[in-house]
Amino acid sequence: GENVEQHPSTLSVQEGDSAVIKCTYSDSASNYFPWYKQELGKGSQLIIDIRSNVGEKKDQRIAVTLNKTAKHFSLHITETQPEDSAVYFCAARDSWGKLQFGAGTQVVVTP
Amino acid sequence: SQTIHQWPATLVQPVGSPLSLECTVEGTSNPNLYWYRQAAGRGLQLLFYSVGIGQISSEVPQNLSASRPQDRQFILSSKKLLLSDSGFYLCAYSGQPNTEAFFGQGTRLTVV
């Protein structure tokens, strides 16, 4: 079955710097890769996603890249702000609908 | 609009007691349904997922079971809770074809 690994587990960045979180997956049949942001009291919200037929997707300060050959995908946050502090989860879903998550990355943006 | 309801929000149960957590979805048909558990400071562990009524896939051996008696209803159960069952349980769904997954607000289960 699918196994998703996520690194790093914690990430501390200065406000204005970039943050990068990397995930690898094991099932080559996975075709959808979402990223979720989890904040206390706000639940888990989708921030960006990418499908296997796309190599890169960008939405304002957030971008995701996918390397299908290497089976890894990354989240990039530029010009980080204090409100970017949260736990971020990557996930991979196969064609059967099974959605597996990484272990999460605690991002702390310091002023 | 599509919504997901999960209850209860918090639950304290004694060891050996039964469990039933319910999740219902509105506004979509034949969703994929998921149960996850999130231990403190850790990621989301997939427990069960379902692509249709009566179709349940179990991802990890455990003391829990899941059922989908109706298209938009997903139930997480246990006959006898263990201390190790404590955690934060999240229900989620995604529409058809495979799209974004939406999460319920979660249930904080404490087994004492």
Side-chain angles (χ1 to χ4, degrees):
Chain A
E2 178 66 275
N3 181 45
V4 178
E5 296 195 359
Q6 182 171 347
H7 300 280
S9 57
T10 58
L11 181 59
S12 182
V13 295
Q14 290 278 352
E15 183 177 357
D17 289 349
S18 296
V20 180
I21 304 170
K22 299 181 179 181
C23 288
T24 60
Y25 62 100
S26 59
D27 188 349
S28 57
S30 291
N31 56 20
Y32 175 67
F33 307 91
W35 286 88
Y36 285 81
K37 179 180 182 182
Q38 188 179 63
E39 298 175 272
L40 281 174
K42 293 185 179 181
S44 299
Q45 304 293 328
L46 179 77
I47 56 171
I48 197 167
D49 56 13
I50 193 167
R51 300 185 188 279
S52 57
N53 59 346
V54 176
E56 183 174 359
K57 184 177 178 181
K58 189 173 181 180
D59 182 5
Q60 299 182 343
R61 296 187 296 107
I62 295 173
V64 57
T65 59
L66 171 65
N67 184 326
K68 283 179 59 180
T69 303
K71 290 189 283 190
H72 66 69
F73 55 113
S74 301
L75 178 71
H76 304 254
I77 307 174
T78 58
E79 301 173 21
T80 53
Q81 301 168 4
E83 54 264 37
D84 293 329
S85 296
V87 179
Y88 292 81
F89 291 97
C90 65
R93 182 164 62 200
D94 63 21
S95 56
W96 297 100
K98 187 166 67 177
L99 183 65
Q100 292 277 23
F101 282 81
T105 297
Q106 175 76 60
V107 174
V108 177
V109 181
T110 53
Chain B
S1 63
Q2 300 174 8
T3 57
I4 178 169
H5 303 281
Q6 182 181 345
W7 68 93
T10 60
L11 190 61
V12 179
Q13 291 283 97
V15 169
S17 64
L19 173 73
S20 181
L21 303 181
E22 189 162 346
C23 175
T24 60
V25 178
E26 296 177 359
T28 186
S29 297
N30 195 29
N32 287 348
L33 296 171
Y34 308 88
W35 277 111
Y36 291 89
R37 176 167 56 199
Q38 185 174 24
R42 302 183 65 179
L44 293 163
Q45 180 187 33
L46 179 62
L47 302 176
F48 302 96
Y49 77 104
S50 171
V51 298
I53 296 176
Q55 299 178 58
I56 310 292
S57 295
S58 175
E59 290 300 298
V60 292
Q62 57 202 311
N63 185 40
L64 303 168
S65 62
S67 61
R68 184 171 178 173
Q70 300 182 51
D71 180 44
R72 289 171 288 181
Q73 183 184 28
F74 207 23
I75 298 173
L76 183 68
S77 303
S78 174
K79 292 182 178 178
K80 290 184 178 181
L81 284 169
L82 306 172
L83 287 173
S84 56
D85 292 325
S86 294
F88 188 58
Y89 291 84
L90 284 162
C91 178
Y93 81 94
S94 63
Q96 297 291 344
N98 285 326
T99 54
E100 173 185 356
F102 296 89
F103 286 86
Q105 289 301 301
T107 297
R108 174 74 59 192
L109 172 66
T110 304
V111 182
V112 296

